[in-house]
């Protein structure tokens, strides 16, 4: 499942392919080393490891699942509930916040941490995925993506530079590059083109990231000043405009692309490693329609060539078995809307697979959803009542299942960390997966 | 605003009209005196008074607002949040629970308190209002209402006797009679007909209530037994079937009808008082389209003839100013879906009237919704963020405003009780209403 043991921090010594060498040379080595970030792995078992990611807003024990607050809120839940369930790092989305309420507005209101009331570690995705999946009439060129908003039809340009300005305004601890997304299981040529463009966009992201570090952010626009505030409102003009322009300490994560083509994935990693002194690396373009076997194979390909000193973030993957399989393949961070989206749909994660709470067999079932689960749904309510809430289309049902599913993923990662610490991860993950798959649909 | 002071418990000595005398004679005096119920008023100021309503599930300080858990859940909120906001007695709806999941099912699952996880005082409305407003193809006769379910088109009969069996199965502390509802502002003849029928239905409710007290509830049906439970589920067969059939201690409340016709309201009260030894009395058929002046006038009419020993419950009225005006007119209990329904719509109650949170002027407003309010919305978030949640159609927005509005009504009643205790209610309510109306729309 992984290459022979390497010293943490050491770059793989595997011989580079021609494409990899070409890409590794095409990007200059830079020294963007944001302060306040570190990652330390420990307790390795195979490719899996425990770890600690330190950010300016605190530390996260890994492997960790990051709840998704797409629009600055986790659907149906409060941040207090998310923290109570064990969430330590959350993710938000630059595309959505750029369109509404606007990244400058979020910055004027104190930044994303203050706006969303989350004082812990936070990551923003660039929103590249949303531009490609939600926006209308998009035109992709080397410059970036021109698209029509899915909200009001207005036209926007999403370039690597624009995305950096947006994510610098939002102020999350970890920010993602803009990458080019293509349909899952695309052929080699298309996958290679998008992967190489993503590398070029990474370089432009890095350059703009560093420029903002040096020059500061643009001044807050006139629309944020007292001139246009309704009478009686507190001022949004910063007390110290110069200090406010200084970009917060942030780490830019590159994204490995290459579809389901092993050689492209390896080339993407080589290109990324040649292009900067990164604090972490993400694997994108998976869980987009390919088979689970293909996804796991790509994780193994990437794991073999990504330095173990870097935290690895698998984007958009969050079904329980994929998390455990990901940890086995060296993944440290995950995010996905699955727990809240499945919860809204009435589907609950359990150690014995997924359960659809609307099923008639729950009508008289006074047992909790999951015996021993500490979430409010399982400690306070029985299946009969939760089913009633769903059948009666009551909002509390959505809340309870979303919180349960989130708790289930966070608990699973907590148990994985404990197993790693105790040296029993291989056995733990074998039996966890066997039980989950025996009961699942 | 009220008749001269009377000794609590003493029935009004005002001379009865012919209609009142006729109705008072038509119903036999009975001695249905459920245990575990009491009401004690104190600190009277004009018609207003503090009080304490004791039920088998605890005491409620009055005047009190009862949050509405129509289908066994308060829309968008958890019972913990409702209790945290100061809710002490909640209301549920027999019509909705009869149709889904079924009153027998609720009883088999431990009764409504256990089902909905509310261990405090609880009231069920008969659902008469819902039969008249939601059900399809209804036929009203002296026997009751035959209607088609708004859910699945099935046919049902809602008679006074059936409603008592349903509410006895659900097991709330206070249960309401079935009454006949007609359009607001109906003419005298129609209002009189419905009021008189409601009195006849009250007598049938009382007789069936007493019969169930004596004979016990019907045995749990076959559909609740192990014979039809999916394998592996815990049994729903009661450990002691005989004890389970004993009806819980409950109080049946009659409902005053009569539209906006003072003489009908007085006759309705006389008929009710002649028909039983009630533990409380409700005023129905208001807030259904008539002017506020008409509603307040009817409260004064009823207040003058209802013994002060009885707690008075004004049904379906829950806008902030109506609560304060109601307390001034001797009302002790209120319920309404307004706080949660308005909250879902983006409308917030404030001491300065209603506020629509979607308004553009809140876009940059970092102040809490209500300065000094202790609810989670006001202590944790600013208007700019809550507006964002509504504009972005995020569920957390609905939750926060529903909880704020509920807190606002509960706080208003708490402040009213404090003013009554302190002897300053008249001045407090004058200035409260003046401020609310000066800012309101």
């Amino acid at each position: 499942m992984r290459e022979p043991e390497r010293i943490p921090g050491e770059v793989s010594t595997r011989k580079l392919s021609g494409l990899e060498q070409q890409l590794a040379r095409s990007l200059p080595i830079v020294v963007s080393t944001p302060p306040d970030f570190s990652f330390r792995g420990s307790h390795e078992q195979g490719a899996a490891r425990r770890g600690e990611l330190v950010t300016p807003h605190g530390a996260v024990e890994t492997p960790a699942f990051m709840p998704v607050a797409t629009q600055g809120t986790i659907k149906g839940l409060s941040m207090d509930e998310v923290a109570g369930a064990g969430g330590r790092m959350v993710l938000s989305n630059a595309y959505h916040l750029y369109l509404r309420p606007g990244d400058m507005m979020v910055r004027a209101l104190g930044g994303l941490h203050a706006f969303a009331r989350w004082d812990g570690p936070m990551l923003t995705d660039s929103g590249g995925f949303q531009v490609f999946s939600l926006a209308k009439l998009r035109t992709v060129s080397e410059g970036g993506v021109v698209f029509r908003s899915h909200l009001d039809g207005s036209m926007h340009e999403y370039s690597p530079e624009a995305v950096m300005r947006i994510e610098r305004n939002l102020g999350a601890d970890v920010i993602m590059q803009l990458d080019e997304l293509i349909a899952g299981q695309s052929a080699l040529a298309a996958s290679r083109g998008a992967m190489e463009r993503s590398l070029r966009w990474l370089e432009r992201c890095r350059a703009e990231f560093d420029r903002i570090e040096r020059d500061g952010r643009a001044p807050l626009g006139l629309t944020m000043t007292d001139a246009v505030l309704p009478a009686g409102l507190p001022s949004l003009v910063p007390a110290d405009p110069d200090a406010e322009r200084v970009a917060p300490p942030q780490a830019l994560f590159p994204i490995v692309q290459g579809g389901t083509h092993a050689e492209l994935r390896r080339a993407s990693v080589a290109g990324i490693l040649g292009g900067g002194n990164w604090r972490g690396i993400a694997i994108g373009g998976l869980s987009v329609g390919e088979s689970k076997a293909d996804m796991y194979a790509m994780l193994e390909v990437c794991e073999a060539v990504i330095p173990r000193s870097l935290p690895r973030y698998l984007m958009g993957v969050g079904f329980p078995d994929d998390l455990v399989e990901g940890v086995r393949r060296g993944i440290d961070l995950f995010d996905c809307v699955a727990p809240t989206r499945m919860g809204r749909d009435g589907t609950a994660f359990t150690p014995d697979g997924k359960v659809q709470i609307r099923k008639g067999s729950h009508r008289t079932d006074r047992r909790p959803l999951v015996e021993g689960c500490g979430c409010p749904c399982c400690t306070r309510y029985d299946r009969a009542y939760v089913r009633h809430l769903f059948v009666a289309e009551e909002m509390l049902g959505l809340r309870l299942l979303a919180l349960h599913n989130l708790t289930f993923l966070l608990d699973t990662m907590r148990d994985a960390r404990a197993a790693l610490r105790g040296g029993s991860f291989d056995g733990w993950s074998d039996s966890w997966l066997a039980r989950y798959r025996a009961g699942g649909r």
Side-chain angles (χ1 to χ4, degrees), chain A:
Chain A
M1 207 172 289
R2 57 178 291 262
E3 298 280 283
E5 195 72 11
R6 275 174 281 109
I7 299 157
E10 189 192 12
V11 176
S12 167
T13 52
R14 193 178 52 78
K15 195 169 176 320
L16 299 182
S17 71
L19 175 61
E20 287 168 29
Q21 288 176 32
Q22 177 194 328
L23 288 167
R25 269 196 304 272
S26 69
L27 297 170
I29 300 289
V30 293
V31 286
S32 173
T33 52
D36 307 325
F37 286 92
S38 70
F39 178 75
R40 192 172 47 79
S42 63
H43 301 91
E44 302 198 352
Q45 274 183 266
R49 72 266 186 85
R50 275 196 77 230
E52 189 183 56
L53 174 66
V54 176
T55 80
H57 283 85
V60 191
E61 289 190 6
T62 61
F65 178 79
M66 299 184 284
V68 180
T70 306
Q71 304 192 101
T73 169
I74 285 141
K75 293 213 181 296
L77 303 180
S78 74
M79 288 298 192
D80 288 342
E81 287 168 325
V82 172
R88 290 296 169 263
M89 181 168 190
V90 303
L91 180 146
S92 197
N93 191 282
Y95 169 82
H96 285 281
L97 294 172
Y98 159 70
L99 289 179
R100 202 168 52 187
D103 53 298
M104 274 288 197
M105 179 59 76
V106 170
R107 181 178 144 199
L109 290 167
L112 188 51
H113 285 90
F115 184 64
R117 268 61 172 177
W118 181 259
D119 201 32
M122 193 184 267
L123 179 150
T124 43
D125 189 8
S126 68
F129 182 81
Q130 282 68 33
V131 168
F132 285 90
S133 60
L134 289 179
K136 294 170 181 171
L137 288 179
R138 62 180 177 279
T139 317
V140 187
S141 69
E142 186 63 20
V145 191
V146 175
F147 66 93
R148 200 177 278 286
S149 161
H150 72 287
L151 298 174
D152 63 2
S154 55
M155 295 302 297
H156 300 267
E157 191 183 350
Y158 227 55
S159 67
E161 291 77 15
V163 165
M164 286 300 100
R165 291 193 287 271
I166 291 166
E167 294 193 88
R168 287 297 223 171
N169 281 332
L170 294 172
D173 301 283
V174 175
I175 68 178
M176 305 305 298
Q177 75 157 105
L178 181 66
D179 51 354
E180 182 177 0
L181 287 129
I182 53 173
Q185 300 169 281
S186 290
L188 185 71
S191 293
R192 176 172 173 166
M195 181 273 285
E196 292 184 1
R197 175 170 279 165
S198 293
L199 285 176
R200 293 191 297 274
W201 284 1
L202 172 63
E203 164 56 15
R204 287 166 56 192
C205 282
R206 191 203 50 71
E208 182 67 5
F209 180 91
D210 288 346
R211 189 197 65 70
I212 298 171
E213 187 79 27
R214 201 169 53 238
D215 300 347
R217 305 185 286 190
L220 281 173
L222 253 184
T223 55
M224 311 300 155
T225 69
D226 288 2
V228 294
L229 283 190
L233 291 194
S235 170
L236 289 185
V237 173
D240 182 347
D242 286 339
E244 196 278 333
R245 287 190 55 203
V246 174
Q250 296 179 298
L252 170 63
F253 276 21
I255 302 175
V256 178
Q257 289 290 357
T260 50
H261 308 284
E263 67 276 30
L264 295 185
R265 289 280 171 184
R266 278 192 284 263
S268 178
V269 171
I272 286 167
L273 296 179
N277 182 14
W278 312 107
R279 315 305 291 185
I281 190 167
I283 300 172
L286 291 177
S287 200
V288 288
E290 78 283 359
S291 71
K292 292 217 172 200
D294 279 351
M295 175 167 84
Y296 300 152
M298 288 304 106
L299 295 186
E300 291 166 25
V301 165
C302 293
E303 198 281 323
V305 292
I306 297 175
R308 293 186 68 74
S309 60
L310 293 182
R312 296 100 173 248
Y313 159 34
L314 175 55
M315 303 182 76
V317 172
F319 282 93
D321 48 339
D322 291 338
L323 258 60
V324 174
E325 295 282 10
V327 173
R328 285 162 80 123
R329 290 164 177 83
I331 300 298
D332 305 294
L333 295 167
F334 302 86
D335 84 284
C336 192
V337 296
T340 45
R341 182 170 292 169
M342 303 293 281
R344 290 200 301 281
D345 177 51
T347 301
F349 297 149
T350 85
D352 300 300
K354 286 178 278 184
V355 162
Q356 173 49 253
I357 196 66
R358 283 192 190 83
K359 276 175 68 178
S361 57
H362 298 128
R363 187 159 174 258
T364 52
D365 196 339
R366 301 189 69 181
R367 298 174 303 178
L369 195 50
V370 172
E371 208 71 63
C373 172
C375 85
C377 180
C378 294
T379 54
R380 306 265 305 154
Y381 303 96
D382 58 27
R383 292 180 178 210
Y385 182 69
V386 180
R387 174 182 186 271
H388 165 68
L389 294 177
F390 269 88
V391 172
E393 298 177 355
E394 284 284 354
M395 211 189 301
L396 182 60
L398 320 184
R399 282 180 57 179
L400 291 176
L401 278 207
L403 188 51
H404 166 79
N405 284 346
L406 196 56
T407 304
F408 185 79
L409 296 189
L410 294 165
D411 282 357
T412 301
M413 290 297 91
R414 180 200 61 199
D415 293 347
R417 293 193 300 269
L420 284 161
R421 195 166 41 234
S424 59
F425 178 76
D426 284 349
W428 175 86
S429 58
D430 280 347
S431 54
W432 191 100
L433 287 165
R435 180 175 173 190
Y436 186 82
R437 286 170 179 157
R441 292 174 303 175

